[in-house]
Amino acid sequence: MALSRLSSRSTNLLQPLATALPTTLRRHISTDTTQLTVETSLPFTSHLCEAPSRSVETSSKELLSFFHDMALMRRMEIAADSLYKAKLIRGFCHLYDGQEAVAIGMEAAINKRDAIITSYRDHCTFIGRGGGLYEAFSELMGRKSGCSKGKGGSMHFYKKDASFYGGHGIVGAQAPLGCGLAFAQKYSKEEAVTFTLYGDGAANQGQLFEALNIAALWDLPAVLVCENNHYGMGTAEWRSAKSPAYFKRGDYVPGLKVDGMDALAVKQACKFAKEHALKNGPIILEMDTYRYHGHSMSDPGSTYRTRDEISGVRQVRDPIDRVRKLIISHDIATEKELKDMEKEVRKEVDAAVAQAKESPIPEPSELFTNIYVKGFGSESFGADRKELRATLP
């Protein structure tokens, strides 16, 4: 019975693009900002709200930026895989390849005054917020020039100047923090919202519902985004959730189910959600997405799902290939030009890795910093730093 349910669910993962795309190519890359109207691959499914239009406004310039940025994220995660296997990245490491459309589409609909907080699968969200490859790889390798000064590692990226509040290692812990950020925005009358990202594995956490209840009571500008990649670690959603319709989990809170492998659908949904949250309070977005790697680098990702399922999603729903087909079908760039762009991305990633390897490891004394707010408490817990350094190997 379990296998039959898995087979049925796997079929649902392989939703193709709605229309066939022509193969006409163009000689030169277009950077035209003229508006194009593209229909989303699948319709939105709504709960207690009207679904947004499937017709999304975009441009040649935006589609090319989507392709470049998602290709950059994909290559970064592949490089992180290699660095982990070479033991240059230690501890936990959760990769985002396959889910890039969520990070890219969300950024296209909001601005840097809107806050984002997420789980430990945070590398690409950091890049989407404007973070650099050098800072990302430095942090992954525990180096001084990392975005968290080498003390956060893979799970704790951070960029406060772009309203990115992490990277959190405890499952679901970011949900009440995200609602707290939304409370601060409303209290300060900022006209901004907070996007709180969590996975389907965290969707059953009690703290999520407690935070959602308060957010609804106080009409907080909170957008809760369930990145449903269909497996909580190695457990399929249908084995862990009696009701896997996560966009309806808010009960009294409106929700929307979105094709999370379609960057334009994500953009449209996030734009809709931001407008709703500012006027009416919280809303839930369920992003139907998929990760190609296992849960973390210690998980091969092939013991609880078939290789055919993974390759099937790659062939039919891959977010980068979808944008590639749109670019070619609208005569924006040729296949060769896009491949050349990917080659440049690879060089950029390789250069950032090499530079990050040269970054120094933090001093041992850094273990005792960033514990208290400056001017409060004791930075070194009473220990003399020079004496401490002398005792360390």
Side-chain angles (χ1 to χ4, degrees):
M1 179 177 178
L3 286 175
S4 66
R5 291 178 71 181
L6 179 59
S7 175
S8 172
R9 196 197 59 72
S10 297
T11 302
N12 292 333
L13 290 173
L14 308 180
Q15 298 278 1
L17 279 169
T19 56
L21 298 168
T23 57
T24 307
L25 303 181
R26 185 171 178 166
R27 292 183 182 178
H28 302 290
I29 291 180
S30 170
T31 55
D32 192 359
T33 56
T34 303
Q35 292 294 302
L36 302 171
T37 302
V38 178
E39 191 168 270
T40 61
S41 55
L42 294 170
F44 300 103
T45 307
S46 62
H47 169 67
L48 299 181
C49 63
E50 292 292 328
S53 170
R54 290 181 64 182
S55 297
V56 187
E57 296 296 320
T58 185
S59 66
S60 299
K61 183 177 181 181
E62 182 175 68
L63 289 174
L64 285 168
S65 73
F66 280 5
F67 181 83
H68 174 274
D69 293 349
M70 286 196 289
L72 186 77
M73 291 174 177
R74 179 74 55 87
R75 190 64 209 169
M76 178 184 73
E77 295 297 62
I78 291 171
D81 174 290
S82 299
L83 290 169
Y84 190 91
K85 289 172 179 174
K87 297 185 178 181
L88 290 170
I89 297 175
R90 309 306 292 261
F92 296 102
C93 185
H94 306 80
L95 303 182
Y96 201 73
D97 49 322
Q99 300 183 208
E100 299 93 348
V102 177
I104 289 299
M106 183 169 57
E107 287 294 343
I110 63 177
N111 57 54
K112 295 300 187 291
R113 291 187 296 108
D114 298 310
I116 299 178
I117 189 168
T118 189
S119 66
Y120 36 74
R121 205 177 303 278
D122 60 355
H123 311 159
C124 294
T125 311
F126 169 77
I127 295 296
R129 290 267 85 182
L133 288 172
Y134 173 53
E135 291 79 14
F137 283 119
S138 295
E139 191 60 40
L140 284 168
M141 291 187 280
R143 305 305 173 99
K144 194 173 183 179
S145 52
C147 59
S148 296
K149 300 181 180 179
K151 299 194 284 185
S154 170
M155 299 195 294
H156 301 288
F157 279 35
Y158 191 79
K159 188 172 174 58
K160 188 179 180 182
D161 61 358
S163 304
F164 177 53
Y165 294 94
H168 293 268
I170 304 301
V171 175
Q174 69 275 20
L177 295 176
C179 290
L181 288 168
F183 172 77
Q185 288 169 327
K186 182 168 184 176
Y187 186 84
S188 302
K189 300 179 180 179
E190 294 178 10
E191 289 299 308
V193 305
T194 295
F195 284 76
T196 300
L197 283 62
Y198 59 96
D200 51 290
N204 299 317
Q205 285 278 319
Q207 57 190 327
L208 172 64
F209 295 95
E210 294 173 22
L212 188 59
N213 180 61
I214 290 293
L217 279 171
W218 294 347
D219 295 327
L220 300 182
V223 180
L224 288 93
V225 183
C226 178
E227 293 185 281
N228 181 10
N229 59 31
H230 301 282
Y231 296 97
M233 297 186 72
T235 304
E237 58 182 345
W238 56 265
R239 295 182 61 196
S240 63
K242 183 65 177 176
S243 172
Y246 299 109
F247 69 105
K248 296 181 180 178
R249 285 288 195 90
D251 185 16
Y252 41 81
V253 173
L256 202 64
K257 185 172 183 179
V258 186
D259 182 357
M261 305 293 271
D262 180 347
L264 290 172
V266 174
K267 171 188 169 182
Q268 188 82 329
C270 289
K271 179 183 177 183
F272 173 86
K274 177 178 176 177
E275 292 171 357
H276 173 95
L278 286 171
K279 294 177 183 176
N280 307 306
I283 184 171
I284 296 174
L285 299 180
E286 178 187 344
M287 300 292 179
D288 181 1
T289 186
Y290 197 83
R291 56 171 165 79
Y292 296 147
H293 268 83
H295 169 72
S296 68
M297 283 301 297
S298 61
D299 168 24
S302 57
T303 56
Y304 48 85
R305 57 183 181 176
T306 65
R307 294 190 184 278
D308 285 345
E309 178 185 302
I310 301 168
S311 63
V313 174
R314 279 184 180 274
Q315 291 170 14
V316 180
R317 299 184 65 209
D318 185 79
I320 299 176
D321 282 347
R322 283 183 165 184
V323 173
R324 186 196 308 272
K325 290 173 182 175
L326 279 173
I327 289 171
I328 293 172
S329 71
H330 284 84
D331 296 340
I332 298 168
T334 67
E335 181 73 36
K336 182 183 182 302
E337 287 166 337
L338 294 179
K339 286 183 178 179
D340 288 343
M341 189 183 293
E342 289 176 303
K343 289 178 183 177
E344 290 303 313
V345 160
R346 183 168 185 164
K347 290 178 183 178
E348 189 179 348
V349 170
D350 290 346
V353 169
Q355 186 183 8
K357 285 179 179 178
E358 299 301 316
S359 178
I361 292 172
E363 291 290 329
S365 59
E366 284 296 312
L367 287 167
F368 299 94
T369 61
N370 306 123
I371 297 170
Y372 295 100
V373 175
K374 282 188 177 180
F376 296 88
S378 172
E379 282 283 302
S380 63
F381 286 83
D384 185 272
R385 290 192 184 183
K386 291 182 180 179
E387 291 179 7
L388 172 69
R389 192 174 295 138
T391 63
L392 292 174

